[in-house]
Amino acid sequence: MTDTTKAPEGTAADLLAAALHLFGHKGFAATSTREIAARAGTNVASIAYHFGSKEGLRTACGAEVARRIGTVITTATSATPGSADQAARQMEAILRTMVGFVAGAREAEDVIAFMLREVAEEGAVLDAVYGAMIEPMHRRFCALWAAATGREAEGEATRLMVFSLVGQVLYFRIGRPVVTRRMGWERLGPAEAARIGDLLAANLHSLIARERLP
């Protein structure tokens, strides 16, 4: 069986890449193991060898999504902020990194498509990804918001605020065809993502200034 705590290699990596694409674009039920194996350039038996079953491959896809996105966010910032301004800068770094990855990075296409489908369908791996990645990252951002504003880290208003900040990022992925058409962009790439990052950073600092306790 594949160790999902580290980056996959070889045939396992090929199978994961194929499954992320097909599960994300067609859905789990509509995707056959034969399709996955063909896209990965291997045989159907390799799925059982590396992941046990199609369901096991789906679970491994969830772990791979958590690993990739977790790596991106951790790279942006992991140090404990020493001041309110440092906390604000860390939040800005996270938002800029998120929009660069979610909206502007080609390598994120299948990862995001898979996760959005799992969320929409409340798929089998959602609970695992929520526990391994979504909740810890949300709590981290809530703690940074509290450090920047003096608000309660786990208060309802803080948790909703963090969802609203992350939601801005996700909109530019979900609504990308609309955004590019209205903006007259051929695509939403790194340059366009950087401009969106500037806007989100400005929104963040305005909100912090408004919500910061005296």
Side-chain angles (χ1 to χ4, degrees):
M1 296 294 288
T2 300
D3 181 0
T4 55
T5 63
K6 64 179 182 179
E9 299 176 342
T11 301
D14 294 337
L15 286 168
L16 278 170
L20 282 169
H21 177 85
L22 291 168
F23 291 161
H25 289 82
K26 295 184 63 176
F28 178 78
T31 300
S32 70
T33 54
R34 193 173 299 278
E35 286 178 287
I36 296 168
R39 185 176 179 87
T42 186
N43 56 67
V44 174
S46 64
I47 295 175
Y49 176 78
H50 288 283
F51 303 102
S53 63
K54 179 184 170 185
E55 187 64 49
L57 178 55
R58 183 187 199 178
T59 300
C61 283
E64 178 63 4
V65 167
R67 186 192 68 79
R68 290 194 201 180
I69 297 178
T71 298
V72 169
I73 301 303
T74 300
T75 299
T77 176
S78 58
T80 301
S83 67
D85 287 342
Q86 286 181 6
R89 287 194 294 272
Q90 285 196 23
M91 281 189 286
E92 178 182 336
I94 292 172
L95 285 178
R96 287 184 181 277
T97 300
M98 285 179 65
V99 77
F101 179 75
V102 170
R106 288 187 179 275
E107 62 269 24
E109 292 289 333
D110 292 339
V111 169
I112 302 305
F114 172 83
M115 200 60 237
L116 288 176
R117 185 174 286 273
E118 288 292 322
V119 170
E121 297 179 355
E122 295 191 27
V125 304
L126 179 57
D127 283 346
V129 176
Y130 177 84
M133 179 193 70
I134 297 173
E135 183 179 4
M137 288 183 180
H138 189 272
R139 287 184 183 277
R140 168 66 173 158
F141 213 109
C142 286
L144 289 172
W145 178 262
T149 63
R151 301 285 178 177
E152 182 184 350
E154 287 300 309
E156 181 180 82
T158 295
R159 286 178 284 148
L160 284 173
M161 180 64 75
V162 169
F163 276 124
S164 75
L165 292 169
V166 174
Q168 293 178 91
V169 177
L170 293 177
Y171 173 78
F172 285 103
R173 170 59 180 80
I174 298 168
R176 184 170 54 189
V178 175
V179 173
T180 53
R181 183 174 299 183
R182 181 68 180 96
M183 295 302 297
W185 293 341
E186 291 186 5
R187 67 188 186 100
L188 205 168
E192 292 77 16
R195 275 179 265 173
I196 294 169
D198 290 341
L199 173 63
L200 298 189
N203 289 347
L204 171 68
H205 291 293
S206 294
L207 287 168
I208 289 173
R210 188 191 75 185
E211 296 295 323
R212 183 171 282 164
L213 295 175

